[in-house]
């Protein structure tokens, strides 16, 4: 079966004054894979995925998603096309319940316009419950989101992304601040998510990267340094010098 390209960039750049945060990246992501983006601090990883999601515009270059040029589209339009992006820090509604948080996301998908009839409240709640079950939070539906443990808040944010039923789920440092047991659970969550969505994650924890990634992209100083399987990246001399070989 032929591979399907879900997302690609050509000559993608983002400059902030004299800083070349992303400097001419050509990138291709296949449908159905789990791809990790790694690199030292300041490599341009978060800027790169912000360009993919539409949170910031490029200085040059193009972004194509699911066969459509989305370079000029803002973030909310890309969400409609199937790109969901979770942030480095939790982005939840702290005063609302767990179920209500995810229902907001589900409603934005199932009722995209106030001008036409959409899904019923029951359908929205069912979609929210399904997303919460996928991340293991279906026993915390009525809890206030803001009082959840940090690890559970991160899972809640993933559930909100899943409620959008994305073709592509982008996770920006999702295990930051999690305990070892929470990280182990998160790995299993992502494996389940990947059964229905393509996953792109920025991650510093190499155990997580090696446990999940089909392929790894390495950025350094805004440029693509290397790409390959986990084994290929671990044995790449340039990667070892730039990143993996850095002292802890």
């Amino acid at each position: 079966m032929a591979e399907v390209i879900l997302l690609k960039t050509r000559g993608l750049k983002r400059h902030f004054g004299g800083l070349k945060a992303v400097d001419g990246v050509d990138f291709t992501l296949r449908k159905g894979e789990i791809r990790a983006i790694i690199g030292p601090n300041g490599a341009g990883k978060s800027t790169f995925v912000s360009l993919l999601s539409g949170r910031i515009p490029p200085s040059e270059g193009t972004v194509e998603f699911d066969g459509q040029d989305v370079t000029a589209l803002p973030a909310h339009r890309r969400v409609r096309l199937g790109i969901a992006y979770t942030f480095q820090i939790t982005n939840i509604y702290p005063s609302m319940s767990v179920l209500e948080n995810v229902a907001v996301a589900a409603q934005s998908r199932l009722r995209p316009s106030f001008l036409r009839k959409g899904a019923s409240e029951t359908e929205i709640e069912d979609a929210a419950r399904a997303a919460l079950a996928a991340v293991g939070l279906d026993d915390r539906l009525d809890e206030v989101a803001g009082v959840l443990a940090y690890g559970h808040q991160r899972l809640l944010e993933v559930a909100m992304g899943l409620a959008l039923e994305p073709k592509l789920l982008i996770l920006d440092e999702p295990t930051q601040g999690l305990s070892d047991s929470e990280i182990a659970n998160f790995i299993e969550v992502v494996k389940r998510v990947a059964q229905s969505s393509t996953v792109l994650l920025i991650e510093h924890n190499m155990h997580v990267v090696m446990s999940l990634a089909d392929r790894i992209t390495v950025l350094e100083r805004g440029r693509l340094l290397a790409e390959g399987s986990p084994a290929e990246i671990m044995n790449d001399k340039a990667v070892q010098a730039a990143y993996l070989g850095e002292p802890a």
Side-chain angles (χ1 to χ4, degrees), residues 135-147:
V135 303
L137 289 180
D138 46 333
D139 60 343
R140 298 176 180 271
L141 303 179
D142 297 323
E143 293 187 26
V144 176
V147 301

Side-chain angles (χ1 to χ4, degrees), residues 165-240:
E165 291 193 355
K167 297 175 183 177
L168 172 61
L169 180 63
I170 302 175
L171 304 170
D172 194 346
E173 297 192 22
T175 66
Q176 180 177 290
L178 301 190
S179 67
D180 289 344
S181 62
E182 289 171 333
I183 288 172
N185 177 60
F186 185 85
I187 289 172
E188 295 307 311
V189 167
V190 173
K191 288 178 179 178
R192 292 197 297 272
V193 169
Q195 294 174 13
S196 59
S197 298
T198 302
V199 177
L200 176 65
L201 72 152
I202 295 175
E203 184 55 66
H204 281 296
N205 186 317
M206 292 308 298
H207 168 68
V208 174
V209 170
M210 296 301 168
S211 297
L212 287 174
D214 299 310
R215 288 177 62 79
I216 299 171
T217 296
V218 186
L219 295 181
E220 183 190 28
R221 297 179 182 177
R223 296 184 176 182
L224 198 154
L225 176 66
E227 242 176 16
S229 68
E232 289 169 337
I233 293 302
M234 287 294 288
N235 292 314
D236 189 294
K237 299 296 185 183
V239 175
Q240 291 174 2

